[in-house]
Amino acid sequence: MQTRDPSPQTQDHMVRLEKQIDNLSSAFNWLAGGAILIMMLLTCADVVLRFFRHPIPGTYEIVGLMGAVGASLALAYTTVKKGHIAVEFLTRRMPEKVQFIVAAASDMVSTLLFGIITWQSTVYALDLKRTGEVSLTVGIPVYPFVFSIAIGCFLVCFVLVTDLYRSVKGITQ
Amino acid sequence: MSPTVIGLIGVAALFILIFLRMPVGFVMAAVGFVGFGSVVSFDAAMSIIAKDLFSVFGSYSLTVIPLFVLMGQLAYHSGISKRLFNAAYKFIGHWPGGLAIATIGACAAFAAICGSTNATAATMGAATLPEMKRYNYKPELATGVVAAGGSLGILIPPSVIFIVYGILTEQSIGRLFMAGILPGLILILLFIIAIIIWTRMRPELGPKGPTFSARERLSSLSGLIETLLLFVLIMGGLFLGIFTPTEAGAIGAFGTLVLALVGRNLTMKGFMTALFETTRMSCMILVIVAGATIFGHFLAVTRIPFDIAQGVSEIQLPRWAIMLIILAVYLVGGCIIDSLALIMLTIPIFYPVILFLEYDPIWFGVIIVLVTQIGVITPPVGINVYVVSGVARDVPLDVIFKGVLPFLAALIIGTLLLIPFPQIALFLPNLMG
């Protein structure tokens, strides 16, 4: 039987795509780090100013929304770095080929999950935009922050697809 | 199919997927989504998955997680661990086993600004293992003490496990933090007793270190004072109700950053590493919390938690026996599943039982932390042991696991002490308003 390896050209494309996805994940992660620093600085400023009876209005809601940015934009980077908690107790003892099959199946389920989350978060964001939902005290529109979840999850889909590609390559080799 | 049957199938699917190495947070979200869709409707499941994710990621009370993680990471990358050990070591290094006792003391002090076991073990390992090697400490004592001492990271506040438990069960994070202090002190004492007994039995394990003059001792104290100040500021603010936990985390992170910059102990590279480790760890934790939230909605519509609580009420066992069974589940589970994931998986099921048996939820939080501490140092997935073996590459894993045994005994005694004497945990939180 002929080898089922993808042609060198497709492999080359995949390597380049993977690199771009990695770069984009890192860029998003920078923004996530920035969001966490803003949370820290804003909260400290609010606490200090509160002593002088001039708290910053809307601190809690801004910090919460920054949390949404931080978590969703770090999602892809965390996935690239294999940072999500997983249990290796059983799979570690399996033959390598079986490990790849199991990994491919898990990547497929995960991709499907993040596809649905991307889609539903987009729907939810558009919904909030239409109804004009804003935060309670300072009236910041909420929908862009739901969009950031959709964007973060969309990138996770790409990360998972490249993982899936690697697992499938592991099975066929 | 009845909701209960769907629920049982869901729980089975959950465990199968988790053991097939799918990330735990993803599994909980996926099974929760499909299960909720099967019991209620997929339209409802679709809208709940997006709303749950946004409500977790955008929740103010959850922002406490990245901020305390940042504080611990900044402390890790600014060499505070070295200064803490230096202070402890100048005072008691000349005792037999003194360097090991100093390591426990420094771990406890570091735990007061860091909320994770592996960060504490990693940073203390790097600071203390070379010193213990220099004074001919046997590897089993040296590595065992770091792995066990590092586990104090989650008992002495701040603590990631207390934060997550508090959020899942809607208990006050401030009270949980206070509840960890006295058991933490008792555990430090038990660890020290374990070292003294062990080095009495085998003096070659931990020979005496050098003696320092009173002047050298006093000058080493500055390393301790900055940490103590930060701890008092944060816990004082929480205790008096001046800060929310998020504010305590923000002030703690900022304070650690300022101390590191003033002391010129943090490089730009160290700062960036700390920040990126923070985004990664926080994201990992929040994904599991979000997964647990979605899964929790599914479990709630299957009535399974209710059925279990009902079932427990019909068992003719004294409540301490049921508590021991729950502890056994955590001890066995902790050997194969990551502790944080185990807590997320079991709290929705066990928590109603705990309330039904009229155990105090704050007290149970402390118990959960103690069994987690046991979990992080027991094979085969004792994360702290792997962290220490990453620092001490020349020491085989089984030597570290052997070195952990006396401390494991101390941890078990500590846990069992809390069952008849819950006041040890509850005394401080009950002083709060």
Side-chain angles (χ1 to χ4, degrees), chain B residues 233-300:
Chain B
L233 176 68
I234 298 167
M235 291 306 139
L238 272 178
F239 187 80
L240 298 174
I242 303 171
F243 307 146
T244 65
T246 296
E247 286 163 352
I251 291 168
F254 189 68
T256 311
L257 182 63
V258 169
L259 282 180
L261 292 179
V262 169
R264 295 176 178 275
N265 293 311
L266 188 64
T267 59
M268 194 60 199
K269 187 162 167 269
F271 175 73
M272 292 317 289
T273 317
L275 189 58
F276 288 161
E277 274 298 292
T278 303
T279 60
R280 192 183 59 79
M281 278 176 63
S282 315
C283 179
M284 166 198 98
I285 297 170
L286 286 169
V287 163
I288 292 204
V289 175
T293 307
I294 295 166
F295 188 72
H297 280 144
F298 162 52
L299 270 192

Side-chain angles (χ1 to χ4, degrees), chain B residues 33 55 64 79 81 102 111 113 138 198 235 247 255 257 293 298 319 341 353 363 384 407 417 431:
Chain B
F33 171 73
S55 75
V64 63
S81 50
I113 45 173
K138 289 278 177 288
W198 207 18
M235 291 306 139
E247 286 163 352
L257 182 63
T293 307
F298 162 52
R319 63 175 203 157
V353 176
W363 170 85
N384 268 24
F407 303 104
L417 264 180
L431 286 183

Side-chain angles (χ1 to χ4, degrees), chain B residues 188-264:
Chain B
I188 294 168
L189 204 67
L190 288 172
F191 280 171
I192 292 175
I193 292 172
I195 295 171
I196 292 174
I197 295 176
W198 207 18
T199 48
R200 272 279 159 81
M201 283 160 57
R202 291 178 52 198
E204 78 279 8
L205 282 175
K208 291 177 184 178
T211 312
F212 292 92
S213 69
R215 194 151 159 204
E216 281 171 304
R217 285 180 182 171
L218 277 181
S219 72
S220 76
L221 276 181
S222 66
L224 195 65
I225 288 168
E226 52 182 35
T227 305
L228 201 68
L229 275 179
L230 262 181
F231 181 75
V232 168
L233 176 68
I234 298 167
M235 291 306 139
L238 272 178
F239 187 80
L240 298 174
I242 303 171
F243 307 146
T244 65
T246 296
E247 286 163 352
I251 291 168
F254 189 68
T256 311
L257 182 63
V258 169
L259 282 180
L261 292 179
V262 169
R264 295 176 178 275

Side-chain angles (χ1 to χ4, degrees), chain A residues 26 29-30 32-34 36-37 39-41 43-44 46-47 50-51 59-61 63-65 67-72 74-75 77-79 81-94 102-103 106 109-110 113-114 116-117 119-121 124 128 142 145-146 149 153 156 160, chain B residues 17-27 29-30 33 43 46-47 49-51 53-54 57-60 63-64 66-67 70 74 242-244 246-254 257 271-272 275-276 278-284 286-288 294 335-338 340-341 380-381 386:
Chain A
S26 296
N29 193 51
W30 273 85
I36 291 177
L37 290 181
M39 277 156 60
M40 176 184 83
L41 294 173
T43 304
C44 287
D46 179 51
V47 171
R50 203 163 60 196
F51 275 109
T59 298
Y60 286 12
E61 57 202 51
V63 168
L65 293 172
V69 174
S72 55
L75 264 174
Y77 177 81
T78 308
T79 312
K81 295 280 171 206
K82 301 269 173 269
H84 295 294
I85 295 177
V87 177
E88 296 178 349
F89 180 69
L90 208 65
T91 50
R92 219 177 26 211
R93 291 165 169 74
M94 293 174 174
V102 167
S106 138
V109 176
S110 305
L113 172 71
F114 276 89
I116 292 173
I117 296 176
W119 167 38
Q120 283 306 314
S121 297
Y124 184 37
L128 290 176
V142 174
F145 299 92
V146 181
I149 293 184
C153 291
V156 173
L160 289 168
Chain B
L17 288 173
I18 284 176
F19 279 109
L20 292 180
R21 219 194 154 278
M22 190 168 155
V24 175
F26 297 6
V27 174
F33 171 73
D43 280 345
M46 290 281 186
S47 87
I49 198 168
K51 284 186 183 140
L53 200 60
F54 180 63
F57 281 10
S59 141
Y60 173 75
T63 54
V64 63
L67 292 171
L70 180 63
L74 288 171
I242 303 171
F243 307 146
T244 65
T246 296
E247 286 163 352
I251 291 168
F254 189 68
L257 182 63
F271 175 73
M272 292 317 289
L275 189 58
F276 288 161
T278 303
T279 60
R280 192 183 59 79
M281 278 176 63
S282 315
C283 179
M284 166 198 98
L286 286 169
V287 163
I288 292 204
I294 295 166
C335 289
I336 42 179
I337 302 179
D338 176 274
L340 193 63
V381 290
Y386 290 97

Side-chain angles (χ1 to χ4, degrees), chain B residues 131-147:
Chain B
E131 290 299 308
M132 286 195 270
K133 197 170 177 178
R134 196 147 68 95
Y135 291 103
N136 292 321
Y137 270 53
K138 289 278 177 288
E140 60 251 55
L141 174 61
T143 53
V145 81
V146 173

Side-chain angles (χ1 to χ4, degrees), chain B residues 97-113:
Chain B
L99 290 187
I101 298 174
T103 302
I104 291 291
C107 280
F110 194 78
I113 45 173

